[in-house]
């Protein structure tokens, strides 16, 4: 997911993001890689990912690194 231009979200939006993450989990999401440029967004999403109970996930600065990680066993 490329979130480089995704700003930190207000509290009212955060539960919607968690519901979206839960949707992915219930529909077979196994791994998620995120590209995030803003430090505050990165911290916020790290917390929301934990709250949602996301499976294996990580944040990257480079799309190439993210793809390599996703394809790794």
């Amino acid at each position: 997911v490329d979130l480089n231009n995704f700003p930190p979200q207000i509290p009212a939006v955060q539960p919607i993001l968690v519901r979206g993450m839960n949707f992915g989990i219930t529909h077979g999401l196994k791994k998620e890689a995120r590209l995030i440029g803003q430090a505050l967004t990165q911290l916020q999403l790290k917390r929301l990912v934990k709250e949602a109970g996301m499976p294996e996930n990580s944040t990257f600065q480079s799309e190439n690194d993210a793809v390599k990680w996703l394809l790794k066993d």
Side-chain angles (χ1 to χ4, degrees):
V1 179
D2 185 346
L3 300 171
N4 278 311
N5 296 315
F6 191 72
Q9 300 299 300
I10 61 172
V13 173
Q14 294 175 28
I16 297 167
L17 295 175
V18 172
R19 283 198 307 267
M21 292 174 195
N22 288 330
F23 179 86
I25 293 167
T26 59
H27 288 85
L29 180 69
K30 302 290 184 217
K31 264 181 137 173
E32 180 191 54
R34 290 176 301 286
L35 301 175
I36 300 177
Q38 296 184 28
L40 188 55
T41 300
Q42 187 172 4
L43 291 171
Q44 184 182 67
L45 285 173
K46 183 177 181 177
R47 179 180 54 79
L48 296 174
V49 161
K50 185 175 181 178
E51 182 180 326
M54 291 288 288
E56 190 174 2
N57 65 87
S58 194
T59 300
F60 300 90
Q61 298 295 317
S62 151
E63 182 178 351
N64 189 42
D65 290 342
V67 170
K68 284 181 187 176
W69 179 80
L70 285 168
L71 296 174
K72 188 173 76 171
D73 286 337

